[in-house]
């Protein structure tokens, strides 16, 4: 009888491990752009030395940045500026900016989170970021992505606000 009671417990433990592993593998594909292609217009060549300036614009934001490359080290800083469409909202519920290292074929090698904005803050005119990163081997360019949520204060009819994002 003891063996009969142990089998269900072992089965349950195995099932939990299997489900957690499956969930973890899904999580990576939902939050990572690794292996995904990046359009040429969204890539910025990684040039030696610097400082080098860049400017990336979407419907929602403008990223003005400057970087310095010394061998496999990248120092990058800049400003994220909400554009007119996003400025229709007065609250930034959340915002996350990522940098992606891209290979010569235009595929993402590594994702790096480089900035997050506060929770339910007044819509900023600009948000600063700064990061020191190791450049992975085979990287020839960088790209950006973001995701966030904006809302109008006191307007519960819109639910949780407007969710916005852009891949690299």
């Amino acid at each position: 009888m003891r063996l009969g009671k142990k089998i269900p417990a072992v089965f349950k433990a195995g099932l939990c491990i299997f489900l957690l592993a499956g969930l973890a593998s899904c999580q990576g594909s939902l939050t990572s752009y690794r292996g995904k292609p990046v359009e040429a217009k969204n890539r910025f060549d990684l040039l030696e030395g610097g400082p080098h300036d860049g400017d990336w614009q979407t419907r929602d934001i403008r990223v003005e940045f400057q970087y310095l490359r010394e061998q496999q080290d990248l120092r990058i800083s800049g400003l994220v500026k909400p554009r007119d469409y996003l400025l229709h909202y007065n609250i930034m519920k959340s915002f996350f900016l990522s940098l992606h290292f891209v290979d010569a074929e235009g595929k993402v090698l590594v994702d790096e989170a480089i900035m997050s904005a506060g929770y339910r803050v007044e819509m900023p005119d600009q948000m600063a970021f700064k990061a020191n990163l190791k450049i992975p081997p085979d990287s020839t360019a960088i790209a950006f992505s973001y995701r966030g949520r904006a809302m109008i204060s006191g307007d519960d009819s819109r639910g949780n606000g407007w969710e916005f994002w852009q891949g690299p």
Side-chain angles (χ1 to χ4, degrees):
M1 286 237 181
R2 282 188 169 173
L3 183 59
K5 289 184 180 182
K6 285 185 180 181
I7 290 175
V10 170
F11 177 75
K12 287 179 187 176
L15 182 59
C16 285
I17 291 170
F18 176 76
L19 290 174
L20 287 173
L23 184 60
S25 68
C26 289
Q27 177 75 18
S29 66
L30 293 175
T31 59
S32 176
Y33 287 99
R34 286 183 189 172
K36 305 282 191 231
V38 178
E39 291 183 55
K41 69 179 183 177
N42 292 327
R43 293 188 297 235
F44 298 89
D45 290 337
L46 268 176
L47 305 172
E48 192 63 44
H52 302 286
D53 295 325
D55 189 343
W56 182 59
Q57 296 183 49
T58 70
R59 179 175 104 165
D60 307 308
I61 65 169
R62 178 178 188 170
V63 179
E64 298 172 347
F65 64 95
Q66 187 175 72
Y67 74 87
L68 177 67
R69 178 184 183 172
E70 294 176 344
Q71 298 176 358
Q72 293 308 110
D73 293 319
L74 179 71
R75 289 190 308 222
I76 187 166
S77 61
L79 296 172
V80 176
K81 297 179 178 182
R83 297 198 58 201
D84 288 343
Y85 188 83
L86 194 55
L87 292 173
H88 289 117
Y89 299 87
N90 66 342
I91 301 291
M92 179 72 76
K93 190 169 180 185
S94 63
F95 181 79
F96 304 93
L97 179 69
S98 294
L99 179 141
H100 309 277
F101 289 101
V102 181
D103 67 12
E105 295 177 4
K107 295 195 177 175
V108 173
L109 295 171
V110 174
D111 306 303
E112 295 279 358
I114 59 172
M115 191 195 93
S116 64
Y119 180 71
R120 291 186 183 231
V121 296
E122 185 176 328
M123 183 62 70
D125 292 330
Q126 59 188 26
M127 301 170 280
F129 67 91
K130 188 176 199 177
N132 295 320
L133 305 167
K134 289 289 184 193
I135 300 172
D138 300 325
S139 296
T140 61
I142 56 173
F144 297 95
S145 69
Y146 62 86
R147 63 184 165 87
R149 187 175 296 235
M151 58 189 289
I152 296 174
S153 62
D155 187 359
D156 293 334
S157 65
R158 293 183 185 227
N160 288 325
W162 182 61
E163 195 168 341
F164 58 97
W165 67 91
Q166 175 70 47

